[in-house]
Amino acid sequence: MIAKITGGQTTADLIRYLYNTKKKGHTDPHLVASWDGFAPDPGRANDFDATKRALVADLDLHVKQAERLGRGPEKHVWHCSIRATETDRHLSDEEWGDIARRVVVATGIAPDGDPDGCRWVAVRHAPDHIHIAATKVRADLRTARHWNDYLTADRELASIEEEYGLFQVVRGDRTAAKRPTRAEQEKAKRAGQARTARERLRTTVRTAVAAATSTEEFLSLLQHTDGVLVDIKHFPSGDVRGYTVALHGDTTAEQEPIWYSGSALSPDLSLPKIRKRLEATDQQQGPHRTNPWHQATAATERIPHRLEHEGDAAAQAHWVAFGEALDALPLLAPQAVRPQLRQAAEAFERATRSRVQAEHQHARALRGAVRAMVREPAPRDGTLLAMFLDAAILVVIAAARWHQLRRHHDQQVAAAHQTLIHLQAAYEQTASAPLLALAQRRPPQRVVERYILLIRQSVPQHAEQVLRDPAFDALATVLADAEKAGHDPKQLLLQVAAQRALDDAGSPARVLTWRFERLSARPAPSDRARAAQAQSAAQRPSGPVQSAVAAPAVQPQPPQARQR
């Protein structure tokens, strides 16, 4: 159920609207509840006009009394519409009346047990919704206390949905970015743009944050972005205190640019918040000993494990840093998959924000690796991108689970599920060619038979699924490559099984393939390191490896979430 609350100055105008049968969709308007249960109902009276006047007079009684004392509020009308979803069952008048009474109690219009509560009526003029009309002056002539009425009504409706068995609307925690206004949407439509200026600027600013290593560089990147105007605000001392941005051509009627502050684009894009994130970034100096894509993938792979062993503030930091990684990917990916990656980044942006205060130092490694990736030449084939996307998909699944189990963040869960759809599409398009190239180098059958035995010994709970997977030939190839490089395939299998949860993977063979592809690029371990690995493997429990974040008994997943 969705509530919409507005105010007004004239009770008669609202009642006239509610009982107007000439309005499209207004059929059989009538009362389903009122402040005392005896309010006159024009919809059920022989003399409609006289009864309507009587109803307005009754609602306005305390308002008129307060006005005579000079205490009447300027806007005394409180209007709340409540609409059921299309899939909900047909509610009776009695049920709608009960819902109305609960909402006026919850919002403070007519507190439970308060004889001085405001006067109100609930009018039903369509099968799927009601309107509550109230006057905000109480019987003691004080104005009603209905602060945060939208939030309190929304909370009550969530309880009503559960108790009545209705569709449970996805609700937020009031941390979402401001939605474009209808005027902004119409303006974009007239200009032939799919997105509004606010949305386009938000994407531009987020991409600049993902690429920058300092506040100065962030502002410089914005200033050098085509089509974007930047106005930097300074303190009297000369220090930077904020920024505003505008799009070329997006102007007022007076042809002045329409400026947006960072916080107007999104709560996390104010300059102080951006500065905190950029200060918590590992700066990688000199030549990179490790491929930054490998570093980013490794840091991403560790996120699900860290969710189990670190607090909510650390988890929130990982979501923010991972969101920055998704923001950067369109800069580095082939043209064909950029639209899907942009949509994935835009969808996950909602999952990066909550009321949990992030401790950004926990995600320094990932943030630093992403900045290093941006400064490297774009990869020539899809191997590195597919490797990162493989890890990213499992992180998004973990994000949906964390937001649902730990915090009950409905909008963030929905955003994570939407992100999966786009990441899956980008991954399938990116991974097909590298996997095919690996499969074409499949080692001899005698070598493959040996790897089959090792897989059954090392990952017994996933072995049959791995061996039946079309990606098994690619996995056999990377195992052979690792062995040629001096690695022990058995130790690699044990290491991967211990460090990487496979329970959420639709294709464990692909997960193992990319993991081995990355690990085999490292120097082979010395004899001493091999001995330590063997000892660690001997001490490891022999039971099946569990997912780093325990799954709920019933966990809703989108159909695409496990098709990998």
Side-chain angles (χ1 to χ4, degrees):
M1 286 187 154
I2 300 296
K4 181 180 179 181
I5 298 176
T6 57
Q9 294 178 313
T10 309
T11 308
D13 287 347
L14 177 56
I15 296 301
R16 185 182 304 112
Y17 165 78
L18 297 182
Y19 280 91
N20 181 8
T21 56
K22 295 181 180 179
K23 185 76 173 177
K24 183 179 179 181
H26 288 202
T27 59
D28 187 28
H30 61 280
L31 294 185
V32 295
S34 66
W35 74 94
D36 62 357
F38 300 102
D41 183 2
R44 294 292 185 263
N46 294 328
D47 190 337
F48 174 81
D49 290 333
T51 307
K52 184 175 67 173
R53 288 194 296 271
L55 176 60
V56 171
D58 285 354
L59 287 170
D60 276 345
L61 174 63
H62 301 313
V63 175
K64 299 300 183 183
Q65 292 173 335
E67 287 177 347
R68 286 197 293 269
L69 298 175
R71 294 162 54 181
E74 181 180 353
K75 291 186 176 182
H76 66 265
V77 176
W78 187 85
H79 176 204
C80 175
S81 62
I82 305 172
R83 185 177 299 273
T85 60
E86 294 181 358
T87 58
D88 283 337
R89 61 181 175 84
H90 187 89
L91 296 173
S92 66
D93 281 355
E94 291 74 18
E95 289 174 316
W96 275 120
D98 177 61
I99 291 169
R101 280 185 284 271
R102 292 178 61 169
V103 169
V104 294
V105 168
T107 55
I109 292 296
D112 193 22
D114 184 355
D116 293 330
C118 299
R119 294 192 167 193
W120 61 272
V121 293
V123 179
R124 183 180 189 181
H125 58 203
D128 63 344
H129 70 277
I130 62 170
H131 294 260
I132 303 174
T135 47
K136 297 192 294 186
V137 178
R138 295 161 43 86
D140 56 12
L141 303 189
R142 291 187 293 118
T143 302
R145 294 189 175 188
H146 59 97
W147 300 313
N148 291 323
D149 50 8
Y150 174 77
L151 180 60
T152 53
D154 198 50
R155 288 173 179 168
E156 188 64 27
L157 290 178
S159 299
I160 289 170
E161 289 166 355
E162 185 174 359
E163 293 175 25
Y164 277 70
L166 305 175
F167 177 79
Q168 294 184 313
V169 174
V170 174
R171 290 178 163 83
D173 54 2
R174 307 182 81 183
T175 61
K178 183 179 179 181
R179 294 182 179 181
T181 64
R182 177 170 294 184
E184 290 173 342
Q185 293 173 339
E186 291 298 327
K187 186 175 183 180
K189 188 176 180 179
R190 290 193 301 270
Q193 296 289 342
R195 298 189 303 158
T196 65
R198 184 192 300 271
E199 293 170 312
R200 291 156 61 194
L201 285 169
R202 183 185 304 146
T203 299
T204 299
V205 173
R206 290 184 66 86
T207 303
V209 174
T213 58
S214 66
T215 304
E216 294 73 22
E217 186 177 14
F218 161 69
L219 295 172
S220 176
L221 288 172
L222 281 182
Q223 289 174 317
H224 288 86
T225 301
D226 291 340
V228 176
L229 303 173
V230 182
D231 182 22
I232 300 175
K233 312 294 183 181
H234 295 85
F235 289 110
S237 63
D239 295 333
V240 176
R241 66 176 177 87
Y243 70 99
T244 57
V245 289
L247 285 180
H248 279 293
D250 182 37
T251 59
T252 64
E254 293 75 26
Q255 300 303 307
E256 293 292 330
I258 299 176
W259 295 96
Y260 297 87
S261 66
S263 58
L265 298 176
S266 180
D268 60 338
L269 292 181
S270 67
L271 192 64
K273 292 185 177 180
I274 290 173
R275 183 179 285 116
K276 285 184 179 180
R277 289 155 62 182
L278 295 179
E279 288 173 352
T281 304
D282 283 346
Q283 303 296 333
Q284 302 184 14
Q285 304 294 336
H288 303 299
R289 295 183 179 179
T290 305
N291 187 307
W293 283 85
H294 289 183
Q295 292 176 322
T297 302
T300 300
E301 284 180 337
R302 291 191 290 268
I303 291 176
H305 175 77
R306 286 177 169 172
L307 299 181
E308 183 69 12
H309 297 89
E310 297 177 357
D312 287 356
Q316 182 63 31
H318 291 305
W319 301 142
V320 174
F322 179 71
E324 291 176 10
L326 296 185
D327 290 332
L329 285 185
L331 299 173
L332 310 169
Q335 187 69 35
V337 296
R338 287 179 186 175
Q340 291 288 0
L341 293 178
R342 287 195 187 98
Q343 288 175 296
E346 290 168 7
F348 195 76
E349 185 259 351
R350 181 65 187 99
T352 65
R353 284 181 285 103
S354 72
R355 292 196 175 276
V356 178
Q357 188 70 30
E359 295 178 355
H360 293 296
Q361 67 271 17
H362 290 277
R364 299 179 68 95
L366 176 56
R367 188 172 283 110
V370 169
R371 270 64 179 180
M373 284 165 51
V374 173
R375 285 154 179 76
E376 290 283 316
R380 295 184 178 180
D381 62 22
T383 300
L384 293 175
L385 179 58
M387 186 185 305
F388 180 84
L389 291 177
D390 176 79
I393 287 170
L394 292 188
V395 168
V396 175
I397 293 173
R401 184 175 299 150
W402 184 87
H403 279 300
Q404 186 170 49
L405 291 182
R406 296 286 188 88
R407 309 297 301 186
H408 302 290
H409 292 159
D410 293 340
Q411 287 189 358
Q412 287 87 336
V413 172
H417 287 172
Q418 190 65 31
T419 304
L420 275 176
I421 296 173
H422 299 298
L423 283 186
Q424 290 280 6
Y427 173 76
E428 293 297 336
Q429 191 171 351
T430 302
S432 57
L435 288 172
L436 178 61
L438 288 170
Q440 290 173 343
R441 296 195 294 109
R442 185 179 189 269
Q445 185 60 29
R446 58 181 178 79
V447 177
V448 172
E449 292 292 341
R450 181 160 55 88
Y451 293 154
I452 290 174
L453 179 61
L454 290 176
I455 289 170
R456 285 189 168 132
Q457 292 174 345
S458 304
V459 285
Q461 68 275 29
H462 299 290
E464 295 308 316
Q465 186 180 1
V466 170
L467 298 177
R468 292 194 304 267
D469 197 302
F472 172 72
D473 287 348
L475 173 59
T477 299
V478 296
L479 279 171
D481 290 345
E483 190 169 18
K484 289 177 183 177
H487 294 275
D488 183 346
K490 182 176 181 179
Q491 291 298 331
L492 283 180
L493 278 165
L494 292 172
Q495 182 180 354
V496 170
Q499 295 181 358
R500 180 69 180 272
L502 300 176
D503 297 335
D504 286 326
S507 172
R510 292 192 187 188
V511 172
L512 294 173
T513 296
W514 300 124
R515 178 74 173 182
F516 291 135
E517 180 78 8
R518 183 168 62 82
L519 291 180
S520 63
R522 299 178 178 178
S526 63
D527 292 340
R528 178 177 297 180
R530 290 179 189 275
Q533 289 176 352
Q535 183 178 2
S536 176
Q539 295 173 350
R540 190 176 299 123
S542 59
V545 178
Q546 297 297 321
S547 176
V549 181
V554 179
Q555 171 64 33
Q557 293 287 355
Q560 298 87 346
R562 302 179 68 87
Q563 298 173 0
R564 190 149 60 91

